[in-house]
Amino acid sequence: MSDIVISLRDVTKRYGMSKVLKGVNLDIEKGEIYGLIGKNGSGKTTIFKTILGLSEFQGGTLFVGDEGDTLKQGRAKIGFFIGTHFFPYMTAKQNLKYYCKLKGVKGARAEINRVLEIVGLKDVKSKFKAYSLGMKQRLGVAAAMLGNPEIIILDEPTNGLDPQGIADVRNVLKKLNEEYGTTIVISSHILGELQNTAHRFAILNDGVIANVFSQEDLSVESEYEYIKLKSSDIQMAKEVLEHVGIEIQGEKKETVSLEDYYFNVVGGQENE
Ligand code: ADP
């Protein structure tokens, strides 16, 4: 059985008279990138704040961390990014030094260099107020990574970013997950973006999780099994396939994705 590191059972939460979470059930497995999808105001941030203990919940149960952990011990294993909260007149290093002190991270100097290297901000000397939005978001992700937490929660980390910024954050998250095995929970209302990043997804609708599905579910939704064929002579390739008895049941000309097209034009890259 896979390890569950975050589990919500019938969690309810209201702000005043308004019920925001109406019995949320959610299981997040160790080592996965999990995408929480929902329109603005659907309660994604509230779920995160509940998991982190920044917001009280009224009903249901919550488990965080590894087997035997108390809620406090489990929560200590989470790094998070919910909006950027940095001092504008300080550099990235100075800001992160502050967060190291706040979080009690040991060996701050080396740790700050490590996380800044991962997000590509190590050589930036300017103050936070001069950063582009993408740099600010990346510094937020870096702050969440301090102390190499087992779990990272990111609330809309690509919100307001341009395509290059979105690709940068996506690559950082993939690297973190693949190289460090970090479990990542990420919310977004940009579906195409989450599809490129997460292994599993949950749709939050009207205060409940309406659907949970995986990348595999998305790929088997298709009616046919299919392969992609790239050739200088498609007609000839089709004839060869038919000649050896392989029936072509359908064909679809693929268009270039908007993102690829954009990067072709502006010359940016997805720095894999
Ligand atoms: P999302 O992150 O999906 O955009 P939120 O969790 O921020 O959604 O908000 C869910 C709902 O709860 C919204 O209707 C929002 O207005 C309300 N809400 C969020 N925070 C508060 C608060 N501190 N007090 C009252 N209502 C709140």
Side-chain angles (χ1 to χ4, degrees):
M1 204 186 93
S2 45
D3 293 336
I4 304 291
V5 288
I6 296 176
S7 179
L8 283 80
R9 283 281 156 274
D10 297 321
V11 167
T12 57
K13 160 86 188 166
R14 68 166 69 83
Y15 287 114
M17 293 301 283
S18 149
K19 210 165 183 183
V20 177
L21 306 182
K22 300 177 183 171
V24 168
N25 291 296
L26 196 63
D27 287 315
I28 293 160
E29 293 172 10
K30 202 184 202 88
E32 70 177 340
I33 304 182
Y34 199 97
L36 186 58
I37 305 166
K39 55 188 180 203
N40 284 334
S42 61
K44 303 182 294 295
T45 310
T46 303
I47 288 183
F48 288 165
K49 286 184 172 171
T50 300
I51 293 170
L52 292 162
L54 302 173
S55 179
E56 295 292 320
F57 60 103
Q58 281 93 32
T61 56
L62 168 67
F63 166 80
V64 184
D66 298 292
E67 207 179 330
D69 280 347
T70 62
L71 207 45
K72 193 176 170 193
Q73 287 165 332
R75 281 171 169 159
K77 294 177 176 173
I78 306 179
F80 62 92
F81 165 55
I82 301 185
T84 49
H85 300 287
F86 294 108
F87 297 105
Y89 51 86
M90 293 200 320
T91 64
K93 284 190 180 172
Q94 289 166 334
N95 267 300
L96 291 187
K97 200 168 163 189
Y98 167 80
Y99 275 101
C100 278
K101 274 201 179 132
L102 208 64
K103 293 179 171 190
V105 173
K106 304 250 170 10
R109 206 187 166 100
E111 181 60 1
I112 289 168
N113 281 330
R114 183 185 76 88
V115 298
L116 287 179
E117 171 96 56
I118 296 174
V119 301
L121 290 176
K122 197 171 166 215
D123 299 321
V124 177
K125 303 273 185 285
S126 48
K127 295 186 169 136
F128 180 78
K129 63 181 177 191
Y131 287 10
S132 68
L133 187 54
M135 291 163 77
K136 289 177 177 171
Q137 301 282 73
R138 278 189 281 149
L139 186 61
V141 176
M145 283 159 49
L146 285 172
N148 200 12
E150 288 173 31
I151 307 164
I152 287 185
I153 288 180
L154 303 167
D155 194 18
E156 303 261 3
T158 53
N159 207 7
L161 295 187
D162 61 16
Q164 182 69 60
I166 290 176
D168 287 348
V169 170
R170 179 180 63 220
N171 291 330
V172 165
L173 298 184
K174 283 189 168 171
K175 192 168 163 182
L176 255 186
N177 177 255
E178 282 161 19
E179 291 181 16
Y180 296 81
T182 312
T183 306
I184 298 172
V185 192
I186 174 174
S187 72
S188 184
H189 60 275
I190 311 169
L191 300 188
E193 173 44 27
L194 269 188
Q195 182 167 1
N196 287 329
T197 315
H199 304 127
R200 285 205 304 150
F201 311 86
I203 296 176
L204 181 64
N205 189 34
D206 197 22
V208 293
I209 299 293
N211 199 357
V212 174
F213 55 100
S214 65
Q215 284 286 354
E216 288 76 43
D217 293 326
L218 289 177
S219 55
V220 297
E221 286 289 303
S222 171
E223 197 182 340
Y224 301 113
E225 268 199 302
Y226 67 92
I227 55 162
K228 270 188 188 172
L229 192 61
K230 191 175 176 184
S231 166
S232 56
D233 193 338
I234 288 289
Q235 189 52 39
M236 176 68 85
K238 277 162 55 184
E239 281 170 22
V240 169
L241 284 174
E242 276 162 357
H243 185 71
V244 294
I246 296 172
E247 185 197 350
I248 298 170
Q249 294 177 320
E251 59 179 287
K252 183 175 157 233
K253 202 168 176 188
E254 200 168 82
T255 53
V256 176
S257 78
L258 187 58
E259 191 183 74
D260 288 342
Y261 192 87
Y262 173 87
F263 284 124
N264 270 341
V265 172
V266 300
Q269 31 157 317
E270 296 191 44
N271 44 359
E272 288 297 323

